[in-house]
Amino acid sequence: MTEEVAVLGAGMHPWGKWGRGFVEYGVAAARAALADADLEWRDVGSIVGADTVRGGYPGYVAGATFAKALGWQGARVASVYAACASGAQAVAAARAQILAGLADVVLVVGADAAPKGFFRPAGGDRPDDPDWLRFRVLGATNPTYFGLYARRRMAVHGDTVEDFAQVKVKNAALGALNPYARYRKRVSAEEVAASAVVADPLRLLDICATSDGGAALVLSSMEFARRRGVAEPVRIRAVSTVTPTYPNTVLDLPDIATDSAAAVEPAAGTFRASIARAAYEEAGVGPEDLSLAEVYDLSTALELQWYEDLGLCGEGEGAKLLREGATAPGGRIPVNTSGGLASFGEAVPAQAIAQVCELTWQLRGDGGARQVEHAHVGITANQGLFGHGSAVIAMR
């Protein structure tokens, strides 16, 4: 097991469509996290920014941008990019600096001012880029992929559109209780069914939006936390940032073809399952130890897939777990107590950090009306373009 680091502070800027720059959202989140940690910006030895980009291509700075906005004070700086996994990569970089003794306190920040509509690649011809290819060759937007994956679950596991709708119902009820969520309104299964079809079988309320927002964490060494009088902080026990293993036999966005398995036996598990497995091995825990999980619900069907990838149930049993109420508040393993992307939408560099914010509040007992009783271990999971795995395990 890797040594632990403490989470001293967590902060967010509410998600929405605010029409302002991403720096404003990130600075607000950073200041909230510093206040939560009872620290000043001058106490921070390093800042790691999750890059804000457009269409998968770097074009905006993050770490130094936030450092300037907070006020130059000489801190180390780093910026990372891993699409939707950028926040977890930023947490990993911050943890590495702390464990290497390069800084006692590191501020992690991610924020975005997302474009209207679905994400798409920047202009220009890049025939060696799988993200560009799936748009130009197939016209496969993100919602198209979500619909194809939903159809796969229906064909292979017998999931129904009613199952998908119940994921939205669950997450919307939790998002209604979260002051940082963009959508704070409960919805019924009938409302999901009545919303417009976007990519059959998925409807508008099955798919997450693109949003503006920001999230930040203050991480420190355990020794620094003790010096500050924080005897039992929330601790980061593991960060998984794995890549796929050849041959990859299940399609993952943005790939449009599987690896050949003609001459090589398929791997024991899928890419997404390997993300969680690496985190469990590093943390020395298993799915049976979890109190809650925050997963990457780009669509309702993909949340069900994460239940299986995290080992919360067997393959093909995600919908059954949902129907039993196991992933709802009061269930065996509540999932997306924040309301998930269903309630927030995507603010890409911030979302993996926001997941850790939710774990932090839950493990402290600060979840308010969303609080999971006796929460002591939580996991986050998401996936960035081009094979970026992302999972964080926190405990108290």
Side-chain angles (χ1 to χ4, degrees):
M1 289 188 295
T2 306
E3 291 182 45
E4 298 169 328
V5 298
V7 184
L8 294 187
M12 292 177 64
H13 182 287
W15 258 235
K17 281 290 188 181
W18 307 114
R20 300 191 294 275
F22 77 93
V23 180
E24 180 177 335
Y25 312 139
V27 168
R31 287 176 174 156
L34 288 166
D36 188 41
D38 194 23
L39 291 172
E40 300 291 336
W41 165 231
R42 68 175 67 91
D43 299 319
V44 173
S46 179
I47 180 169
V48 182
D51 279 355
T52 298
V53 305
R54 286 293 166 264
Y57 299 93
Y60 298 80
V61 250
T65 308
F66 294 131
K68 179 183 179 182
L70 289 164
W72 295 128
Q73 50 90 315
R76 290 176 178 269
V77 67
S79 296
V80 300
Y81 175 65
C84 296
S86 296
Q89 293 274 358
V91 169
R95 181 180 66 154
Q97 290 185 359
I98 292 168
L99 296 181
L102 297 177
D104 278 334
V105 181
V106 182
L107 176 63
V108 179
V109 192
D112 203 2
K116 185 177 180 179
F118 54 74
F119 292 113
R120 56 191 181 276
D125 292 341
R126 291 177 303 280
D128 58 348
D129 173 0
D131 197 34
W132 181 89
L133 283 171
R134 55 120 174 177
F135 274 83
R136 292 297 185 91
V137 177
L138 295 182
T141 64
N142 286 12
T144 299
Y145 169 79
F146 305 153
L148 290 169
Y149 211 98
R151 276 291 172 201
R152 181 183 188 277
R153 286 200 59 85
M154 295 173 78
V156 175
H157 301 311
D159 292 5
T160 67
V161 292
E162 290 78 19
D163 292 325
F164 302 152
Q166 286 304 319
V167 174
K168 174 66 176 183
V169 171
K170 171 183 72 71
N171 290 349
L174 287 159
L177 303 173
N178 193 331
Y180 297 106
R182 176 178 178 181
Y183 301 105
R184 300 189 60 196
K185 180 180 179 294
R186 292 172 178 266
V187 301
S188 66
E190 291 74 22
E191 288 175 301
V192 177
S195 63
V197 173
V198 175
D200 188 65
L202 299 181
R203 296 179 175 271
L204 184 63
L205 293 183
D206 283 301
I207 295 171
C208 75
T210 60
S211 290
D212 299 355
L217 296 163
V218 177
L219 306 183
S220 80
S221 65
M222 294 300 295
E223 181 182 353
F224 181 90
R226 287 190 288 269
R227 291 202 306 267
R228 297 286 300 186
V230 185
E232 294 185 15
V234 172
R235 308 179 311 277
I236 301 294
R237 177 66 73 87
V239 184
S240 169
T241 56
V242 298
T243 55
T245 300
Y246 176 85
N248 191 11
T249 58
V250 177
L251 287 172
D252 285 315
L253 189 154
D255 295 326
I256 57 175
T258 59
D259 292 343
S260 171
V264 182
E265 287 295 317
T270 63
F271 170 42
R272 278 192 288 266
S274 74
I275 298 170
R277 184 169 62 250
Y280 291 141
E281 290 173 356
E282 183 179 330
V285 301
E288 67 280 1
D289 299 307
L290 297 175
S291 307
L292 73 156
E294 283 288 304
V295 306
Y296 188 44
D297 59 318
L298 291 167
S299 78
T300 50
L302 286 175
E303 175 167 323
L304 297 179
Q305 184 64 45
W306 279 114
Y307 296 173
E308 299 164 23
D309 295 332
L310 293 181
L312 307 182
C313 60
E315 183 179 356
E317 296 177 353
K320 178 175 180 289
L321 197 69
L322 175 78
R323 294 171 199 150
E324 294 170 349
T327 61
R332 173 172 64 83
I333 174 67
V335 176
N336 282 341
T337 58
S338 66
L341 294 181
S343 300
F344 278 75
E346 286 197 88
V348 171
Q351 52 208 37
I353 300 171
Q355 289 181 321
V356 181
C357 288
E358 177 67 14
L359 291 193
T360 300
W361 293 322
Q362 289 286 348
L363 296 174
R364 286 181 184 169
D366 294 336
R370 310 186 313 281
Q371 183 61 48
V372 175
E373 289 189 13
H374 312 300
H376 63 282
V377 181
I379 190 170
T380 71
N382 69 36
Q383 173 188 359
L385 284 179
F386 315 114
H388 289 111
S390 166
V392 177
I393 292 178
M395 60 198 318
R396 191 178 191 188

